[in-house]
């Protein structure tokens, strides 16, 4: 009888799955050693990378940025395949490079100096939380900052977040409150209706918090672990987007694989594995110990499964009514899966009607708009602005001239957004915009005051709102059964250890019962299995390589 090659089944054709497949397939020694396939539940490869088109522009529905080009493998690949340049414009938010316009609800443009002081406080707080300890700051600023933190926590700043269960959200707010205690009085800002300095500071602070919510996917920063912030690693250097689209990197990984190795539309519904060694099966003991069930009722036997489905799918898969795993995953796994956070972040794209696209003269250009809202419970709030807009930080063209605007949503606002109709969204955004970019005739009264530049010029040419949208496209990562969310975060009550636990293969080597079970049955990759680069494409990429190496080492394929 001819010895069978070990069969490796990779579940999921996202970054992690394809990085692993690429490595396993191209590793010269292993080429003829394994029977390899990738099964993907959806109709396309890429997973949370989905480059698409809207209003004639190339857009990203999922992953958008390379978070720091220094040391990023994703950047390296993009560079090698010449994906970083394009003739055609792309979603690069070059508005970030310009001065953004920060406007307070009601249409009051805030002066850069007012915005900057509270933005600096926020940035210092994030640097502190991330363990960057105020690098390169003026001495006096540093001393003042530490005094503030000490005041907020009534302890030495280095003890902040010690053994407790401090959230990032609570850390931020405690220091903000200490800051307010230390300023003498809250003056009203002339010409800005009822905005006081304190209200403006709060609104700008909240705007930065909302950016953090989308960066981390923690719908509520009160659920985001403070301690984990300092473990998270960013690559140095610029953050850029990929001119030819993020998908070009995925396609490059897939291009080396032979036709048919990736099977699309193969959604896995069940995985039977062997926690304990079976005495006798028709296949013998170590041979193809696992059975994969697909949604169409078909099955596939496997020696090794590399599971790369999103954490949201794992969370659903361990639920009592799912029974995706048979036997169920051991407790150490299910507990880590439950403890870690997996939030919803969605992007919304809107197309401006042609009379307002950026291709007109300068004064008609839609700005890089940062929105400072009143608190959702404030009496001063504009009642017609929908609640789901109130925790959105910005709205901006996807590149300087584009007629396509993008905005990011997180948490329950993002989920609500998925349920609305296109018309409801266009209405809600238009109402919001008209409160921020209001009519020219309202401009007058206030322009003298230094902190508030008064009502903003309308972008329009006389019609009620000034700005009109012709269509909208939004992502729906929260309700998509193949994702059930956007990316992972370390929630209060979990820690980096849980990310490591998620990465451990099954059965666990240390447990007695598994001593005679076939080893490395279920391996885990995906962004949520990387301790320091979770939530990113390069974290997913690394995790795929890690598990490919684990298998190659198991079969003593050296040189990997
Ligand atoms: C809106 C958004 C913005 C983002 N922005 C950035 C960014 O700017 N920079 C960055 O680095 N990262 C970003 N990310 C995160 C990044 O996209 C992910 O971390 C990364 O792509 C995850 O890769 P993965 O291989 O771990 O998982 P995925 O890409 O999710 O791949 C898993 C695959 O498993 C499949 N699958 C699920 N269930 C089953 C099943 N039962 N059977 C078979 N197949 C199944 C899915 O269809 C999917 O293709 C963003 C994500 C989102 C959603
Ligand atoms: C991916 O993009 C296509 C359009 O290019 C869209 O139809 C599809 O819904 C997107 N999928 C996800 C999960 O965003
Ligand atoms: C706003 O301020 C004015 C006076 O400056 C006051 O009369 C009015 O009641 C305030 N509005 C609200 C809602 O507090
Ligand atoms: C922006 O528009 C101007 C004027 O139409 C044009 O000359 C320029 O090339 C455009 N820039 C981009 C990046 O599209």
């Amino acid at each position: 009888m001819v010895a069978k090659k070990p069969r490796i089944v990779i579940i999921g054709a996202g970054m992690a799955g394809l990085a692993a497949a690429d490595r396993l397939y191209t590793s010269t020694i292993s080429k003829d050693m394994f029977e390899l396939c990738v099964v993907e539940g959806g109709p396309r490869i890429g997973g949370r990378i989905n480059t698409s088109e809207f209003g004639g522009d190339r857009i990203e529905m999922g992953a958008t940025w390379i978070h720091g080009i220094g040391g990023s493998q994703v950047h390296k690949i993009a560079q090698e395949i010449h994906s970083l340049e394009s003739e055609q414009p792309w979603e690069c938010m070059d508005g970030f490079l310009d001065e953004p316009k920060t406007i307070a609800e009601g249409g009051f443009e805030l002066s850069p100096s007012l915005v900057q002081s509270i933005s600096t406080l926020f940035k210092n707080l994030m640097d502190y939380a991330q363990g960057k300890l105020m690098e390169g700051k003026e001495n006096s600023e540093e001393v003042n900052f530490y005094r503030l933190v000490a005041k907020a926590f009534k302890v030495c700043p280095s003890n902040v977040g010690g053994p407790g269960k401090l959230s990032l959200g609570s850390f931020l707010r405690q220091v903000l409150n200490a800051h307010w205690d230390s300023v003498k009085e809250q003056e009203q800002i002339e010409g800005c209706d009822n905005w006081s300095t304190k209200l403006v500071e709060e609104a700008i602070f909240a705007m930065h918090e909302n950016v953090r919510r989308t960066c981390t996917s923690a719908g509520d920063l009160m659920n985001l672990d403070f301690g984990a912030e300092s473990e998270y690693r960013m690559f140095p250097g610029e953050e850029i987007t990929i001119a030819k689209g993020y998908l070009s990197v995925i396609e490059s990984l897939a291009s080396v694989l032979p036709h048919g190795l990736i099977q699309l539309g193969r959604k896995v519904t069940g995985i039977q594995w062997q926690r304990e060694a079976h005495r006798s099966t028709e296949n013998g003991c170590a041979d193809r110990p696992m059975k994969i069930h697909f949604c169409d009722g078909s099955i596939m036997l496997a020696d090794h499964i590399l599971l790369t489905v999103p954490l949201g799918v794992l969370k659903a898969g361990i639920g009592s009514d799912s029974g995706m795993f048979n036997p169920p995953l051991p407790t150490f796994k299910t507990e880590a899966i439950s403890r870690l956070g997996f939030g919803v972040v969605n992007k919304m794209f809107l197309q401006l009607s042609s009379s307002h696209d950026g291709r007109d003269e300068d004064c008609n250009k839609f700005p890089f708009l940062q929105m400072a809202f009143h608190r959702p419970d404030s009496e001063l709030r504009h009642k017609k602005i929908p609640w789901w807009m109130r925790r959105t930080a910005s709205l901006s063209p996807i590149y300087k001239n584009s007629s396509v605007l993008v905005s990011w949503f997180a948490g329950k606002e993002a989920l609500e957004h998925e349920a609305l109709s296109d018309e409801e969204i266009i209405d809600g955004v238009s109402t919001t915009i008209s409160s921020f970019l209001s009519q020219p005739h309202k401009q007058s009264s206030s322009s003298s005051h230094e902190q508030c530049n008064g009502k903003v010029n309308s972008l329009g040419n006389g019609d009620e709102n000034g700005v009109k949208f012709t269509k909208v496209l939004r992502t729906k990562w929260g309700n998509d059964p193949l994702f059930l969310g956007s990316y992972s975060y370390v929630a209060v009550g979990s820690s980096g250890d849980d990310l490591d636990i998620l990465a451990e293969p099954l059965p666990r080597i240390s447990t007695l019962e598994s001593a005679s079970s076939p080893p490395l049955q279920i391996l885990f990759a995906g962004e949520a299995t990387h301790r320091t680069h979770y939530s990113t494409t390069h974290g997913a990429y690394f995790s795929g390589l890690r598990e490919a190496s684990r298998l190659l080492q198991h079969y003593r394929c050296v040189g990997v």
Side-chain angles (χ1 to χ4, degrees), residues 28-44:
T28 47
I29 312 160
S30 70
K31 200 159 231 157
D32 299 314
M33 252 188 99
F34 303 118
E35 203 183 291
L36 182 65
C37 72
V38 179
V39 293
E40 163 58 50
R44 56 176 187 93

Side-chain angles (χ1 to χ4, degrees), residues 89 358-359 399 401:
R359 291 172 190 92
Y399 55 88
N401 277 4

Side-chain angles (χ1 to χ4, degrees), residues 89 94 358-360 365 399-402:
D94 55 3
R359 291 172 190 92
D360 291 4
K365 270 193 183 144
Y399 55 88
K400 213 175 266 165
N401 277 4
S402 179

Side-chain angles (χ1 to χ4, degrees), residues 273-279 281 285 289 327 507 512-518 521:
W273 60 295
Q274 295 187 16
R275 174 176 261 179
E276 291 160 72
H278 279 211
R279 292 297 117 76
T281 69
C285 192
L512 201 61
E513 57 177 7
S514 60
S516 55
S517 296
Q521 290 176 50

